[in-house]
């Protein structure tokens, strides 16, 4: 089942059920995705009935225009991002002359970003200062239902209600000074963008396995494919393990979004899911980075293969 949020002039938009081909959608009794997640036990079955009618042609629906879609959750209770692909951690730490933590393989890296203003799949990114070093980050993420404190990885499958893609924008040149204060990211992490569709895990079929999305995530930068990374085997910590980690000391409300971190593979022929990795590889191989960070006019497109979530397609614009 595919779900999306249609912008209708209200703050949280209107929840729509999307036909499997992504071309048409229909509303439901639940006005927003958050309201459906709050009552998921009741809402899921009714939403699936609408999806079935759309796919069978029993319901016409209305054409879907991606430019009118917000993030599936235009604002969320929490946006929590991991860094579960260890190759990315190692490369990016090298880029700022920092060693990976000693617990790299045993304790997930997690940060908490802003969630009150989340970007839709076609929203432009306003770059207020090119010196900040804008970078995209192609990720997979999940939307959780109510999650109890102390939830174990073996119990976490029931917590994952939806899967989608994210572009976790980062202002790389602001990161070192922020981390030097030993209090985490803030200014360096602007609003995150999300794919047009959020899908139930069953839509992934066999690709949803052990709390990982065994899909390829492609990144196309200014019309050139720069990454075709496998999001499955090298995700060191699964989503289920990430849930266990974050639930160690607190519970989470339905509508919490949890990210995988930048999809990254050791095989360099797979390319990159962020410019920081390209710059680090250039430094390793040639002594210095040659790829600049993003500028006004640049465009990034993030999509999965198979195409289950639709595409994030954003252009950088001036204020």
């Amino acid at each position: 089942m595919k779900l999306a949020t249609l912008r209708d002039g209200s703050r949280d938009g209107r929840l729509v059920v999307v036909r499997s081909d992504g071309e048409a959608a229909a509303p439901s009794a639940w006005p927003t995705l958050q309201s459906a997640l709050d009552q998921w036990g009741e809402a899921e079955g009714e939403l699936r009935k609408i999806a079935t009618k759309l796919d069978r042609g029993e319901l016409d629906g209305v054409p879907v225009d991606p430019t009118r879609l917000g993030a599936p959750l235009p604002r969320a209770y929490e946006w929590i991002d991991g860094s579960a692909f260890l190759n990315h951690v190692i490369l990016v730490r090298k880029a700022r002359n920092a060693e990976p933590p000693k617990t790299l393989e045993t304790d997930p890296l997690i940060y908490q970003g802003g969630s009150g203003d989340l970007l839709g799949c076609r929203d432009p990114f306003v770059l207020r200062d090119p010196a900040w070093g804008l970078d995209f980050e192609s990720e997979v993420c999940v939307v959780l239902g109510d999650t109890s404190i102390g939830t174990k990885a073996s119990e976490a499958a029931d917590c994952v209600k939806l899967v989608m893609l994210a572009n976790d924008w980062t202002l790389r040149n602001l990161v070192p000074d922020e981390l030097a204060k030993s209090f985490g990211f803030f200014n360096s992490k602007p609003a995150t963008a999300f794919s047009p569709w959020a899908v139930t895990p069953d839509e992934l079929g066999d690709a949803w396995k052990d709390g990982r999305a065994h899909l390829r995530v492609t990144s196309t930068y200014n019309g050139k494919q720069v990454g075709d990374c496998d999001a499955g085997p090298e995700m060191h910590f699964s989503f289920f393990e990430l849930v266990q980690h974050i639930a160690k000391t607190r519970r989470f409300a339905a509508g919490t979004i949890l990210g995988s971190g930048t999809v990254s593979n050791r095989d360099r022929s797979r390319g990159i899911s962020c410019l920081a990795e390209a710059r680090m590889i250039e430094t390793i191989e040639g002594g210095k980075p040659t790829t600049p960070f993003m500028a006004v006019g640049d465009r990034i497109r993030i999509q999965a293969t198979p195409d289950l979530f639709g595409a994030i397609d954003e252009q950088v614009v001036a204020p």
Side-chain angles (χ1 to χ4, degrees):
M1 176 171 61
K2 287 185 167 84
L3 303 175
T5 291
L6 180 67
R7 286 182 168 138
D8 64 353
S10 65
R11 174 172 280 187
D12 295 312
R14 174 75 189 186
L15 172 64
V16 291
V17 182
V18 182
R19 201 167 65 198
S20 58
D21 64 3
E23 296 296 323
S28 74
W30 283 269
T32 65
L33 179 53
Q34 183 61 55
S35 66
L37 289 163
D38 287 340
Q39 306 170 68
W40 194 248
E42 179 184 355
E44 182 183 13
E46 295 302 314
L47 294 171
R48 286 188 182 275
K49 288 178 183 177
I50 296 171
T52 299
K53 288 181 179 180
L54 282 166
D55 288 341
R56 289 177 177 173
E58 297 170 6
L59 190 61
D60 290 335
V62 296
V64 174
D65 177 1
T67 64
R68 291 190 59 204
L69 298 178
L73 281 167
R75 53 179 175 161
Y77 283 112
E78 302 196 54
W79 158 234
I80 302 164
D81 200 17
S83 195
F85 292 86
L86 302 191
N87 186 62
H88 174 76
V89 179
I90 292 166
L91 285 175
V92 173
R93 289 294 179 101
K94 282 184 178 179
R96 60 174 190 262
N97 296 315
E99 290 295 321
K102 291 183 173 60
T103 56
L104 177 68
E105 297 185 11
T106 58
D107 197 23
L109 292 171
I110 295 284
Y111 91 90
Q112 188 153 12
S115 60
D117 176 28
L118 302 176
L119 302 178
C121 61
R122 298 293 189 274
D123 288 350
F125 184 90
V126 180
L127 181 57
R128 301 193 176 279
D129 189 342
W132 290 344
L134 179 64
D135 197 359
F136 65 89
E137 294 194 55
S138 306
E139 304 191 11
V140 181
C141 56
V142 297
V143 180
L144 303 180
D146 288 317
T147 300
S148 301
I149 187 172
T151 296
K152 301 300 183 186
S154 59
E155 305 164 329
D158 291 339
C159 301
V160 176
K161 305 305 181 187
L162 299 166
V163 187
M164 50 189 183
L165 299 179
N167 178 12
D168 184 36
W169 290 109
T170 300
L171 299 166
R172 296 287 184 192
N173 291 339
L174 300 185
V175 169
D177 286 346
E178 288 204 299
L179 295 186
K181 295 185 285 187
S182 300
F183 215 57
F185 300 118
F186 194 83
N187 288 148
S188 55
K189 285 294 188 178
T192 302
F194 293 89
S195 56
W197 329 131
V199 310
T200 47
D202 60 282
E203 288 285 321
L204 279 68
D206 293 340
W208 180 248
K209 183 171 59 178
D210 301 324
R212 296 173 175 86
H214 291 260
L215 306 166
R216 295 201 315 277
V217 176
T218 61
S219 304
T220 303
Y221 184 43
N222 291 333
K224 178 184 177 182
Q225 184 174 294
V226 294
D228 185 28
C229 296
D230 192 334
E234 291 185 57
M235 186 180 179
H236 184 77
F237 299 103
S238 72
F239 282 111
F240 299 162
E241 291 168 313
L242 293 178
V243 168
Q244 175 175 298
H245 179 78
I246 66 173
K248 180 177 180 179
T249 59
R250 50 177 157 152
R251 61 186 179 183
F252 294 89
T256 295
I257 306 173
L258 176 62
S260 67
T262 306
V263 179
S264 182
N265 296 157
R266 287 184 292 272
D267 179 358
R268 290 184 185 169
S269 70
R270 289 287 188 182
I272 51 97
S273 297
C274 69
L275 297 179
E277 285 195 10
R279 289 167 59 86
M280 190 61 242
I281 292 168
E282 290 162 354
T283 300
I284 292 169
E285 295 179 348
K288 63 179 180 179
T290 58
T291 297
F293 287 120
M294 299 178 77
V296 170
D298 286 346
R299 192 173 210 104
I300 180 64
R301 183 180 179 91
I302 300 167
Q303 202 162 2
T305 304
D307 183 16
L308 298 173
F309 313 101
I312 300 170
D313 192 348
E314 296 179 280
Q315 186 163 30
V316 181
V317 299

